[in-house]
Amino acid sequence: MVIEASGGGGGHARIRLGMVGGGQGAFIGSVHRTAARIDDQFVLTAGALASDPARAKASARELGIADGRAYTSFEEMAKAEAARPDGIEAVSIVTPNHLHAPVARAFLEAGIHVICDKPLTRSLAEAEELVELVRKTGKIFVVTHNYTGYPMVRQARAMVANGDLGEIRLVQAEYLQDWLTEPLEASGHKQAAWRTDPTRSGAGGCIGDIGTHAYNLACFVTGLELEELLAQLSTFVGGRRLDDDVQILLKWKGGAKGMLWASQVAVGNENGLTLRVYGTKGGLEWAQENPNYLWFTRYGQPKQFLTRGGAGALVEAGRVTRVPSGHPEGYLEGFATIYAEAARAIRAAQAGKAPDPAVIFPTVEDGLAGMKFIDAAVNSSASNGAWIRMT
């Protein structure tokens, strides 16, 4: 089943999109721009793409943004675009964490919808303030936890909700990388530098960068809420200021238990995000590096190998599937699903309506949940592994 190319209705003009961050040398900006184009729902029309004015202008020219809409500050961009009759309708925030809150605030107050990279903010206090502002303005706010956009993740979520696993007992999540095994930040590597800098990343390193993805995925698929956690955050690389390995015990409301391990120093791992969920009637296993496949086992029966677009695929997976089975879909398409869902929500808001209930995307409240998770894990580790209740 192929996703609706219109993002929720035919004949619509593309949504005018702005971007803050993501200029020359940035990784995630190009990912967001590609994702926004895949379903042809957005057109990039303005940007404040870098903190350096010359690089901001040069980056905009490379992307075909008109000189008059290439800004050197996000404050200038928010004010100017809000005043234009053809101003941007949504902004994509792809900056380091410390800028998420001030940028989002500026555009929300200007009446512009927001699509923001994760984690939501640098601190829990900022996240709580941002949630209140979103509620006050009524604007759409999307957090790009892109793994929730994968078809077989949607399949797993639907199967849990349908009761195929019975009562959930165990939830195991991992996100393993090795790219920070050595002190890459000391070499001037841009991505490593800000991710290991508490002034830009916040109190969490690995926990904020990839641990939040694993946590969000577990919550999204199971529908469970976390009650308590016990965390050990470690820094194995000498001189590094933030954690590069995270090991957490989880107690979910309702009695389920679990573990989460995230590491950026696990040699031999590239992008090993995996999720295992086990209930009284069955179990599910999914791995991001093979995202088109889902293993499902009913107790006492052989394992079933479910494929994206194949036999047994549910409508929840089908509505975000673009190509026939056997043709791989992955990382960029997962991001694109979030953008397509954002487009549906934005168009509904513009029409004064609520989006179709089938439209699913990570909200500002999901972003807040991620910040509470980071805060609790940091506090638990600092307290020598004390159990911390989620607030």
PDB file of all heavy atoms in Angstrom, residues 98-130:
ATOM      1  N   HIS A  98      21.006  23.418  22.588  1.00  0.00           N
ATOM      2  CA  HIS A  98      20.845  24.623  23.403  1.00  0.00           C
ATOM      3  C   HIS A  98      20.037  25.706  22.700  1.00  0.00           C
ATOM      4  O   HIS A  98      19.539  26.636  23.352  1.00  0.00           O
ATOM      5  CB  HIS A  98      22.210  25.180  23.818  1.00  0.00           C
ATOM      6  CG  HIS A  98      23.017  25.771  22.699  1.00  0.00           C
ATOM      7  ND1 HIS A  98      23.512  25.017  21.657  1.00  0.00           N
ATOM      8  CD2 HIS A  98      23.413  27.046  22.460  1.00  0.00           C
ATOM      9  CE1 HIS A  98      24.184  25.796  20.832  1.00  0.00           C
ATOM     10  NE2 HIS A  98      24.138  27.030  21.291  1.00  0.00           N
ATOM     11  N   LEU A  99      19.877  25.587  21.379  1.00  0.00           N
ATOM     12  CA  LEU A  99      19.113  26.583  20.635  1.00  0.00           C
ATOM     13  C   LEU A  99      17.673  26.166  20.365  1.00  0.00           C
ATOM     14  O   LEU A  99      16.874  26.980  19.890  1.00  0.00           O
ATOM     15  CB  LEU A  99      19.814  26.880  19.305  1.00  0.00           C
ATOM     16  CG  LEU A  99      21.131  27.658  19.404  1.00  0.00           C
ATOM     17  CD1 LEU A  99      21.823  27.711  18.054  1.00  0.00           C
ATOM     18  CD2 LEU A  99      20.897  29.060  19.954  1.00  0.00           C
ATOM     19  N   HIS A 100      17.313  24.928  20.656  1.00  0.00           N
ATOM     20  CA  HIS A 100      15.967  24.457  20.346  1.00  0.00           C
ATOM     21  C   HIS A 100      14.894  25.328  20.993  1.00  0.00           C
ATOM     22  O   HIS A 100      13.943  25.762  20.332  1.00  0.00           O
ATOM     23  CB  HIS A 100      15.778  23.009  20.802  1.00  0.00           C
ATOM     24  CG  HIS A 100      16.516  22.017  19.966  1.00  0.00           C
ATOM     25  ND1 HIS A 100      16.434  20.652  20.176  1.00  0.00           N
ATOM     26  CD2 HIS A 100      17.357  22.167  18.908  1.00  0.00           C
ATOM     27  CE1 HIS A 100      17.184  20.018  19.299  1.00  0.00           C
ATOM     28  NE2 HIS A 100      17.758  20.918  18.522  1.00  0.00           N
ATOM     29  N   ALA A 101      15.031  25.586  22.296  1.00  0.00           N
ATOM     30  CA  ALA A 101      13.991  26.339  23.010  1.00  0.00           C
ATOM     31  C   ALA A 101      13.879  27.785  22.532  1.00  0.00           C
ATOM     32  O   ALA A 101      12.769  28.230  22.212  1.00  0.00           O
ATOM     33  CB  ALA A 101      14.242  26.274  24.520  1.00  0.00           C
ATOM     34  N   PRO A 102      14.978  28.550  22.461  1.00  0.00           N
ATOM     35  CA  PRO A 102      14.812  29.944  22.011  1.00  0.00           C
ATOM     36  C   PRO A 102      14.322  30.070  20.575  1.00  0.00           C
ATOM     37  O   PRO A 102      13.521  30.965  20.271  1.00  0.00           O
ATOM     38  CB  PRO A 102      16.213  30.545  22.182  1.00  0.00           C
ATOM     39  CG  PRO A 102      17.144  29.403  22.312  1.00  0.00           C
ATOM     40  CD  PRO A 102      16.353  28.302  22.921  1.00  0.00           C
ATOM     41  N   VAL A 103      14.756  29.183  19.699  1.00  0.00           N
ATOM     42  CA  VAL A 103      14.288  29.241  18.311  1.00  0.00           C
ATOM     43  C   VAL A 103      12.802  28.887  18.246  1.00  0.00           C
ATOM     44  O   VAL A 103      12.002  29.589  17.611  1.00  0.00           O
ATOM     45  CB  VAL A 103      15.105  28.301  17.407  1.00  0.00           C
ATOM     46  CG1 VAL A 103      14.531  28.289  15.997  1.00  0.00           C
ATOM     47  CG2 VAL A 103      16.570  28.731  17.373  1.00  0.00           C
ATOM     48  N   ALA A 104      12.418  27.802  18.899  1.00  0.00           N
ATOM     49  CA  ALA A 104      11.013  27.403  18.894  1.00  0.00           C
ATOM     50  C   ALA A 104      10.137  28.501  19.478  1.00  0.00           C
ATOM     51  O   ALA A 104       9.049  28.798  18.953  1.00  0.00           O
ATOM     52  CB  ALA A 104      10.833  26.108  19.683  1.00  0.00           C
ATOM     53  N   ARG A 105      10.591  29.123  20.543  1.00  0.00           N
ATOM     54  CA  ARG A 105       9.811  30.189  21.173  1.00  0.00           C
ATOM     55  C   ARG A 105       9.575  31.343  20.195  1.00  0.00           C
ATOM     56  O   ARG A 105       8.450  31.860  20.076  1.00  0.00           O
ATOM     57  CB  ARG A 105      10.539  30.683  22.419  1.00  0.00           C
ATOM     58  CG  ARG A 105       9.736  31.667  23.265  1.00  0.00           C
ATOM     59  CD  ARG A 105      10.516  32.105  24.500  1.00  0.00           C
ATOM     60  NE  ARG A 105      10.969  30.952  25.280  1.00  0.00           N
ATOM     61  CZ  ARG A 105      12.245  30.627  25.474  1.00  0.00           C
ATOM     62  NH1 ARG A 105      13.212  31.347  24.931  1.00  0.00           N
ATOM     63  NH2 ARG A 105      12.560  29.572  26.191  1.00  0.00           N
ATOM     64  N   ALA A 106      10.617  31.730  19.491  1.00  0.00           N
ATOM     65  CA  ALA A 106      10.501  32.857  18.563  1.00  0.00           C
ATOM     66  C   ALA A 106       9.474  32.587  17.467  1.00  0.00           C
ATOM     67  O   ALA A 106       8.663  33.461  17.129  1.00  0.00           O
ATOM     68  CB  ALA A 106      11.867  33.162  17.943  1.00  0.00           C
ATOM     69  N   PHE A 107       9.469  31.373  16.937  1.00  0.00           N
ATOM     70  CA  PHE A 107       8.554  31.073  15.833  1.00  0.00           C
ATOM     71  C   PHE A 107       7.137  30.790  16.322  1.00  0.00           C
ATOM     72  O   PHE A 107       6.166  31.156  15.650  1.00  0.00           O
ATOM     73  CB  PHE A 107       9.114  29.933  14.984  1.00  0.00           C
ATOM     74  CG  PHE A 107      10.239  30.380  14.102  1.00  0.00           C
ATOM     75  CD1 PHE A 107      11.553  30.333  14.539  1.00  0.00           C
ATOM     76  CD2 PHE A 107       9.982  30.887  12.833  1.00  0.00           C
ATOM     77  CE1 PHE A 107      12.594  30.776  13.732  1.00  0.00           C
ATOM     78  CE2 PHE A 107      11.012  31.325  12.025  1.00  0.00           C
ATOM     79  CZ  PHE A 107      12.322  31.276  12.472  1.00  0.00           C
ATOM     80  N   LEU A 108       6.999  30.153  17.465  1.00  0.00           N
ATOM     81  CA  LEU A 108       5.663  29.954  18.014  1.00  0.00           C
ATOM     82  C   LEU A 108       4.991  31.295  18.292  1.00  0.00           C
ATOM     83  O   LEU A 108       3.810  31.494  17.975  1.00  0.00           O
ATOM     84  CB  LEU A 108       5.735  29.126  19.300  1.00  0.00           C
ATOM     85  CG  LEU A 108       6.068  27.638  19.136  1.00  0.00           C
ATOM     86  CD1 LEU A 108       6.379  27.020  20.491  1.00  0.00           C
ATOM     87  CD2 LEU A 108       4.923  26.888  18.458  1.00  0.00           C
ATOM     88  N   GLU A 109       5.739  32.220  18.882  1.00  0.00           N
ATOM     89  CA  GLU A 109       5.188  33.539  19.185  1.00  0.00           C
ATOM     90  C   GLU A 109       4.881  34.329  17.914  1.00  0.00           C
ATOM     91  O   GLU A 109       4.039  35.239  17.940  1.00  0.00           O
ATOM     92  CB  GLU A 109       6.151  34.304  20.095  1.00  0.00           C
ATOM     93  CG  GLU A 109       6.220  33.716  21.507  1.00  0.00           C
ATOM     94  CD  GLU A 109       7.264  34.386  22.380  1.00  0.00           C
ATOM     95  OE1 GLU A 109       8.116  35.127  21.823  1.00  0.00           O
ATOM     96  OE2 GLU A 109       7.241  34.161  23.610  1.00  0.00           O
ATOM     97  N   ALA A 110       5.545  33.958  16.818  1.00  0.00           N
ATOM     98  CA  ALA A 110       5.268  34.590  15.527  1.00  0.00           C
ATOM     99  C   ALA A 110       4.115  33.913  14.785  1.00  0.00           C
ATOM    100  O   ALA A 110       3.778  34.302  13.668  1.00  0.00           O
ATOM    101  CB  ALA A 110       6.524  34.569  14.657  1.00  0.00           C
ATOM    102  N   GLY A 111       3.527  32.879  15.387  1.00  0.00           N
ATOM    103  CA  GLY A 111       2.386  32.204  14.784  1.00  0.00           C
ATOM    104  C   GLY A 111       2.752  31.159  13.756  1.00  0.00           C
ATOM    105  O   GLY A 111       1.943  30.858  12.854  1.00  0.00           O
ATOM    106  N   ILE A 112       3.928  30.564  13.877  1.00  0.00           N
ATOM    107  CA  ILE A 112       4.434  29.619  12.875  1.00  0.00           C
ATOM    108  C   ILE A 112       4.576  28.232  13.506  1.00  0.00           C
ATOM    109  O   ILE A 112       5.094  28.092  14.621  1.00  0.00           O
ATOM    110  CB  ILE A 112       5.793  30.114  12.326  1.00  0.00           C
ATOM    111  CG1 ILE A 112       5.581  31.432  11.558  1.00  0.00           C
ATOM    112  CG2 ILE A 112       6.455  29.057  11.441  1.00  0.00           C
ATOM    113  CD1 ILE A 112       6.855  32.172  11.222  1.00  0.00           C
ATOM    114  N   HIS A 113       4.114  27.208  12.792  1.00  0.00           N
ATOM    115  CA  HIS A 113       4.220  25.833  13.261  1.00  0.00           C
ATOM    116  C   HIS A 113       5.689  25.400  13.317  1.00  0.00           C
ATOM    117  O   HIS A 113       6.529  25.904  12.556  1.00  0.00           O
ATOM    118  CB  HIS A 113       3.442  24.892  12.336  1.00  0.00           C
ATOM    119  CG  HIS A 113       1.991  25.245  12.194  1.00  0.00           C
ATOM    120  ND1 HIS A 113       1.075  25.133  13.223  1.00  0.00           N
ATOM    121  CD2 HIS A 113       1.281  25.723  11.121  1.00  0.00           C
ATOM    122  CE1 HIS A 113      -0.124  25.507  12.793  1.00  0.00           C
ATOM    123  NE2 HIS A 113      -0.018  25.875  11.523  1.00  0.00           N
ATOM    124  N   VAL A 114       5.983  24.438  14.205  1.00  0.00           N
ATOM    125  CA  VAL A 114       7.371  24.064  14.470  1.00  0.00           C
ATOM    126  C   VAL A 114       7.585  22.561  14.296  1.00  0.00           C
ATOM    127  O   VAL A 114       6.791  21.748  14.773  1.00  0.00           O
ATOM    128  CB  VAL A 114       7.789  24.479  15.896  1.00  0.00           C
ATOM    129  CG1 VAL A 114       9.183  23.958  16.236  1.00  0.00           C
ATOM    130  CG2 VAL A 114       7.745  26.002  16.045  1.00  0.00           C
ATOM    131  N   ILE A 115       8.667  22.223  13.602  1.00  0.00           N
ATOM    132  CA  ILE A 115       9.166  20.853  13.501  1.00  0.00           C
ATOM    133  C   ILE A 115      10.584  20.881  14.066  1.00  0.00           C
ATOM    134  O   ILE A 115      11.447  21.584  13.537  1.00  0.00           O
ATOM    135  CB  ILE A 115       9.174  20.361  12.043  1.00  0.00           C
ATOM    136  CG1 ILE A 115       7.763  20.419  11.450  1.00  0.00           C
ATOM    137  CG2 ILE A 115       9.730  18.938  11.947  1.00  0.00           C
ATOM    138  CD1 ILE A 115       7.723  20.226   9.937  1.00  0.00           C
ATOM    139  N   CYS A 116      10.817  20.163  15.157  1.00  0.00           N
ATOM    140  CA  CYS A 116      12.073  20.309  15.907  1.00  0.00           C
ATOM    141  C   CYS A 116      12.780  18.977  16.076  1.00  0.00           C
ATOM    142  O   CYS A 116      12.158  17.960  16.390  1.00  0.00           O
ATOM    143  CB  CYS A 116      11.763  20.907  17.282  1.00  0.00           C
ATOM    144  SG  CYS A 116      13.221  21.259  18.299  1.00  0.00           S
ATOM    145  N   ASP A 117      14.089  18.998  15.883  1.00  0.00           N
ATOM    146  CA  ASP A 117      14.883  17.801  16.119  1.00  0.00           C
ATOM    147  C   ASP A 117      14.892  17.490  17.618  1.00  0.00           C
ATOM    148  O   ASP A 117      14.588  18.330  18.455  1.00  0.00           O
ATOM    149  CB  ASP A 117      16.305  18.001  15.590  1.00  0.00           C
ATOM    150  CG  ASP A 117      16.964  16.695  15.210  1.00  0.00           C
ATOM    151  OD1 ASP A 117      16.247  15.716  14.924  1.00  0.00           O
ATOM    152  OD2 ASP A 117      18.205  16.628  15.207  1.00  0.00           O
ATOM    153  N   LYS A 118      15.249  16.249  17.951  1.00  0.00           N
ATOM    154  CA  LYS A 118      15.286  15.853  19.357  1.00  0.00           C
ATOM    155  C   LYS A 118      16.719  15.977  19.906  1.00  0.00           C
ATOM    156  O   LYS A 118      17.658  16.082  19.119  1.00  0.00           O
ATOM    157  CB  LYS A 118      14.737  14.438  19.534  1.00  0.00           C
ATOM    158  CG  LYS A 118      15.504  13.353  18.736  1.00  0.00           C
ATOM    159  CD  LYS A 118      16.717  12.833  19.466  1.00  0.00           C
ATOM    160  CE  LYS A 118      17.888  12.752  18.526  1.00  0.00           C
ATOM    161  NZ  LYS A 118      19.192  12.867  19.119  1.00  0.00           N
ATOM    162  N   PRO A 119      16.912  15.977  21.237  1.00  0.00           N
ATOM    163  CA  PRO A 119      15.879  16.079  22.263  1.00  0.00           C
ATOM    164  C   PRO A 119      15.233  17.450  22.234  1.00  0.00           C
ATOM    165  O   PRO A 119      15.757  18.382  21.614  1.00  0.00           O
ATOM    166  CB  PRO A 119      16.642  15.837  23.562  1.00  0.00           C
ATOM    167  CG  PRO A 119      18.045  16.276  23.265  1.00  0.00           C
ATOM    168  CD  PRO A 119      18.267  15.936  21.828  1.00  0.00           C
ATOM    169  N   LEU A 120      14.097  17.565  22.900  1.00  0.00           N
ATOM    170  CA  LEU A 120      13.286  18.768  22.767  1.00  0.00           C
ATOM    171  C   LEU A 120      14.060  20.034  23.108  1.00  0.00           C
ATOM    172  O   LEU A 120      14.011  21.026  22.371  1.00  0.00           O
ATOM    173  CB  LEU A 120      12.048  18.643  23.658  1.00  0.00           C
ATOM    174  CG  LEU A 120      11.064  19.809  23.639  1.00  0.00           C
ATOM    175  CD1 LEU A 120      10.510  20.031  22.241  1.00  0.00           C
ATOM    176  CD2 LEU A 120       9.934  19.553  24.633  1.00  0.00           C
ATOM    177  N   THR A 121      14.775  20.014  24.225  1.00  0.00           N
ATOM    178  CA  THR A 121      15.501  21.195  24.700  1.00  0.00           C
ATOM    179  C   THR A 121      16.782  20.755  25.388  1.00  0.00           C
ATOM    180  O   THR A 121      17.108  19.574  25.439  1.00  0.00           O
ATOM    181  CB  THR A 121      14.643  21.995  25.698  1.00  0.00           C
ATOM    182  OG1 THR A 121      14.226  21.129  26.759  1.00  0.00           O
ATOM    183  CG2 THR A 121      13.412  22.589  25.033  1.00  0.00           C
ATOM    184  N   ARG A 122      17.473  21.720  25.970  1.00  0.00           N
ATOM    185  CA  ARG A 122      18.692  21.417  26.719  1.00  0.00           C
ATOM    186  C   ARG A 122      18.390  21.013  28.159  1.00  0.00           C
ATOM    187  O   ARG A 122      19.170  20.279  28.776  1.00  0.00           O
ATOM    188  CB  ARG A 122      19.617  22.639  26.698  1.00  0.00           C
ATOM    189  CG  ARG A 122      20.936  22.460  27.430  1.00  0.00           C
ATOM    190  CD  ARG A 122      21.858  23.635  27.238  1.00  0.00           C
ATOM    191  NE  ARG A 122      21.211  24.908  27.570  1.00  0.00           N
ATOM    192  CZ  ARG A 122      21.839  26.079  27.547  1.00  0.00           C
ATOM    193  NH1 ARG A 122      23.108  26.148  27.196  1.00  0.00           N
ATOM    194  NH2 ARG A 122      21.189  27.190  27.851  1.00  0.00           N
ATOM    195  N   SER A 123      17.268  21.485  28.713  1.00  0.00           N
ATOM    196  CA  SER A 123      16.951  21.201  30.112  1.00  0.00           C
ATOM    197  C   SER A 123      15.467  20.914  30.268  1.00  0.00           C
ATOM    198  O   SER A 123      14.637  21.287  29.426  1.00  0.00           O
ATOM    199  CB  SER A 123      17.328  22.392  31.000  1.00  0.00           C
ATOM    200  OG  SER A 123      16.450  23.488  30.761  1.00  0.00           O
ATOM    201  N   LEU A 124      15.123  20.267  31.380  1.00  0.00           N
ATOM    202  CA  LEU A 124      13.736  19.953  31.674  1.00  0.00           C
ATOM    203  C   LEU A 124      12.925  21.227  31.880  1.00  0.00           C
ATOM    204  O   LEU A 124      11.773  21.319  31.428  1.00  0.00           O
ATOM    205  CB  LEU A 124      13.659  19.057  32.914  1.00  0.00           C
ATOM    206  CG  LEU A 124      12.261  18.659  33.386  1.00  0.00           C
ATOM    207  CD1 LEU A 124      11.471  17.974  32.288  1.00  0.00           C
ATOM    208  CD2 LEU A 124      12.364  17.762  34.617  1.00  0.00           C
ATOM    209  N   ALA A 125      13.497  22.217  32.546  1.00  0.00           N
ATOM    210  CA  ALA A 125      12.784  23.473  32.783  1.00  0.00           C
ATOM    211  C   ALA A 125      12.408  24.145  31.466  1.00  0.00           C
ATOM    212  O   ALA A 125      11.280  24.644  31.298  1.00  0.00           O
ATOM    213  CB  ALA A 125      13.628  24.413  33.640  1.00  0.00           C
ATOM    214  N   GLU A 126      13.335  24.154  30.502  1.00  0.00           N
ATOM    215  CA  GLU A 126      13.033  24.726  29.183  1.00  0.00           C
ATOM    216  C   GLU A 126      11.906  23.966  28.502  1.00  0.00           C
ATOM    217  O   GLU A 126      11.038  24.561  27.858  1.00  0.00           O
ATOM    218  CB  GLU A 126      14.281  24.686  28.294  1.00  0.00           C
ATOM    219  CG  GLU A 126      15.333  25.715  28.605  1.00  0.00           C
ATOM    220  CD  GLU A 126      16.497  25.641  27.629  1.00  0.00           C
ATOM    221  OE1 GLU A 126      16.770  24.530  27.116  1.00  0.00           O
ATOM    222  OE2 GLU A 126      17.127  26.675  27.387  1.00  0.00           O
ATOM    223  N   ALA A 127      11.935  22.640  28.634  1.00  0.00           N
ATOM    224  CA  ALA A 127      10.909  21.816  27.991  1.00  0.00           C
ATOM    225  C   ALA A 127       9.535  22.105  28.565  1.00  0.00           C
ATOM    226  O   ALA A 127       8.544  22.201  27.827  1.00  0.00           O
ATOM    227  CB  ALA A 127      11.251  20.337  28.155  1.00  0.00           C
ATOM    228  N   GLU A 128       9.448  22.243  29.867  1.00  0.00           N
ATOM    229  CA  GLU A 128       8.163  22.521  30.509  1.00  0.00           C
ATOM    230  C   GLU A 128       7.616  23.874  30.065  1.00  0.00           C
ATOM    231  O   GLU A 128       6.413  24.021  29.808  1.00  0.00           O
ATOM    232  CB  GLU A 128       8.328  22.470  32.026  1.00  0.00           C
ATOM    233  CG  GLU A 128       8.579  21.054  32.543  1.00  0.00           C
ATOM    234  CD  GLU A 128       8.950  20.990  34.003  1.00  0.00           C
ATOM    235  OE1 GLU A 128       9.444  22.012  34.540  1.00  0.00           O
ATOM    236  OE2 GLU A 128       8.758  19.920  34.618  1.00  0.00           O
ATOM    237  N   GLU A 129       8.491  24.871  29.944  1.00  0.00           N
ATOM    238  CA  GLU A 129       8.069  26.189  29.474  1.00  0.00           C
ATOM    239  C   GLU A 129       7.580  26.126  28.027  1.00  0.00           C
ATOM    240  O   GLU A 129       6.598  26.776  27.654  1.00  0.00           O
ATOM    241  CB  GLU A 129       9.227  27.186  29.596  1.00  0.00           C
ATOM    242  CG  GLU A 129       9.615  27.519  31.024  1.00  0.00           C
ATOM    243  CD  GLU A 129      10.852  28.385  31.103  1.00  0.00           C
ATOM    244  OE1 GLU A 129      11.403  28.741  30.027  1.00  0.00           O
ATOM    245  OE2 GLU A 129      11.291  28.710  32.228  1.00  0.00           O
ATOM    246  N   LEU A 130       8.266  25.306  27.229  1.00  0.00           N
ATOM    247  CA  LEU A 130       7.901  25.197  25.816  1.00  0.00           C
ATOM    248  C   LEU A 130       6.543  24.526  25.649  1.00  0.00           C
ATOM    249  O   LEU A 130       5.734  24.927  24.797  1.00  0.00           O
ATOM    250  CB  LEU A 130       8.980  24.423  25.070  1.00  0.00           C
ATOM    251  CG  LEU A 130       9.012  24.571  23.543  1.00  0.00           C
ATOM    252  CD1 LEU A 130       9.110  26.033  23.135  1.00  0.00           C
ATOM    253  CD2 LEU A 130      10.191  23.787  22.975  1.00  0.00           C
TER     254      LEU A 130
END
